[in-house]
Amino acid sequence: MAVYSMTGYASGQSAPAAGPGEGDAREASGARLGLEIRAVNSRFLDLTFKLPEELRQHEPALRELLTRHLKRGKVELRAAIDNGSASGMGEPSPRLLQRLNAAQDAIKAWLPQAAELSVADVLRLAAQEGSRPASAADFDAPALAIRVLESLLDARAREGERLVLTLQERLQGLRALAQQAAPIIPRLVEQQRTRFLERWNEAMGLVANQASADTAQDRALAEATAFAIRIDVAEELTRLSAHLDEIERLLAQGGEIGKRLDFLIQELHREANTLGSKSAALELTRIGVDMKVLIEQMREQVQNIE
């Protein structure tokens, strides 16, 4: 399944459905139904409709359509009817010309000095005759909404592909940092163990009693062991790797994965914080900071996934 972004935009227009005998006139009028859908990220599905009164009757069907195909996001649907009659310049029909000629003859019979109709007058009257203001009944709003919604879903899918690629790059970066951190801890433990033993040997150098020296050495080893336990991040690295594996699995699976990804990002942040708090070397501190930067970048991307 595809991974969908919650962010997207799509729009479309449709001409009025012509009735019997009025196809050319309705098309020439230039009337259009315009519809657009905007979507941004949100924790839940939040629908807003901005419709003129003549289209308000379609709101329940539009709401059901969006709810069926969208699961999360703040979605706004706008629609408006543009009559556009002024731009129409359809060719007058023979029937209209006959009516205008008859009307002109009748007028001139009573008013001989009346001016004759000009071409501009005829075109203007033809436009007025052929184009009454379009109404909601002239358009198939649900059909247009389906086309625009399909375009929105395509746009969200394309954006989702880009988000997946970005997240996969960040995952690779986190794995590389984890691999850098893994060998640092054993090296630190061995260095600290050697340092403890050297200090205790120096302190016990003047002690004649062998038993006291052995006891001091045992205590030094115990201190070194306690230090190793305090700075050991093997468990954190293991959990971090498991979370990365699960994120990769979800990205490959697709579908409605945004909320689960958001939870896993929180867990990654927790492990990175723990790794930083246990840091006993500047190099490990740097790795922890770099991990937090990558995780924060992932959080920003995940918040856009449905």
Side-chain angles (χ1 to χ4, degrees):
M1 295 179 64
V3 174
Y4 289 94
S5 167
M6 285 187 283
T7 302
Y9 172 83
S11 64
Q13 291 185 338
S14 68
E22 62 177 6
D24 293 339
R26 302 299 291 130
E27 184 66 25
S29 71
R32 293 290 185 272
L33 170 63
L35 189 147
E36 64 179 23
I37 305 177
R38 302 171 183 268
V40 295
N41 61 316
S42 177
R43 292 184 62 189
F44 308 101
L45 182 60
D46 182 7
L47 301 179
T48 302
F49 296 88
K50 296 189 176 180
L51 307 173
E53 285 303 319
E54 60 266 30
L55 293 175
R56 189 64 62 181
Q57 59 182 310
H58 295 295
E59 181 173 337
L62 295 175
R63 183 178 297 275
E64 192 277 334
L65 175 67
L66 296 182
T67 303
R68 189 168 67 248
H69 291 89
L70 305 176
K71 304 306 178 185
R72 293 177 65 200
K74 183 176 178 61
V75 182
E76 179 182 278
L77 185 149
R78 291 175 176 264
I81 295 175
D82 179 12
N83 283 292
S85 300
S87 63
M89 244 184 74
E91 181 179 350
S93 65
R95 180 183 177 185
L96 176 61
L97 293 175
Q98 291 175 357
R99 288 169 53 195
L100 291 176
N101 188 55
Q104 179 173 252
D105 290 343
I107 292 172
K108 291 186 73 66
W110 288 93
L111 301 172
Q113 296 182 354
E116 295 186 355
L117 290 171
S118 67
V119 173
D121 293 334
V122 173
L123 290 176
R124 185 177 66 256
L125 291 171
Q128 293 175 356
E129 176 73 13
S131 60
R132 63 173 174 81
S135 66
D138 297 321
F139 300 95
D140 190 350
L144 175 60
I146 290 174
R147 296 203 305 271
V148 175
L149 178 59
E150 290 174 349
S151 297
L152 177 70
L153 292 176
D154 290 341
R156 285 163 56 118
R158 291 192 297 271
E159 179 65 20
E161 291 178 0
R162 289 191 287 269
L163 291 176
V164 169
L165 292 176
T166 300
L167 289 173
Q168 288 175 340
E169 291 177 0
R170 302 299 184 270
L171 289 174
Q172 294 175 1
L174 287 173
R175 289 192 185 279
L177 290 172
Q179 292 175 356
Q180 294 176 25
I184 293 177
I185 299 304
R187 187 170 69 246
L188 287 176
V189 171
E190 182 58 32
Q191 290 174 355
Q192 191 64 22
R193 177 178 178 275
T194 302
R195 189 177 299 116
F196 274 130
L197 289 176
E198 290 175 351
R199 290 179 179 176
W200 281 105
N201 287 333
E202 290 174 1
M204 295 295 105
L206 301 176
V207 177
N209 189 333
Q210 184 62 36
S212 298
D214 292 342
T215 301
Q217 186 177 36
D218 291 342
R219 183 175 178 182
L221 292 174
E223 291 288 343
T225 301
F227 173 79
I229 293 174
R230 284 198 308 273
I231 69 169
D232 185 19
V233 294
E235 185 176 352
E236 285 74 15
L237 293 177
T238 298
R239 286 198 297 264
L240 187 140
S241 178
H243 296 328
L244 296 180
D245 290 342
E246 180 63 11
I247 291 175
E248 286 188 339
R249 187 189 70 81
L250 289 175
L251 293 178
Q253 169 188 304
E256 303 167 34
I257 60 175
K259 290 184 177 179
R260 283 178 286 178
L261 287 176
D262 189 56
F263 170 77
L264 289 170
I265 293 298
Q266 295 179 27
E267 294 301 306
L268 286 178
H269 201 275
R270 193 192 319 277
E271 302 305 336
N273 277 335
T274 304
L275 187 146
S277 66
K278 288 186 174 183
S279 175
L282 184 60
E283 185 178 0
L284 198 59
T285 300
R286 179 193 61 78
I287 290 175
V289 171
D290 290 345
M291 281 186 172
K292 289 182 181 180
V293 171
L294 290 176
I295 293 170
E296 189 59 33
Q297 292 173 351
M298 292 177 66
R299 185 199 302 277
E300 294 176 0
Q301 304 301 324
V302 164
Q303 288 177 350
N304 287 321
I305 293 180
E306 187 175 58

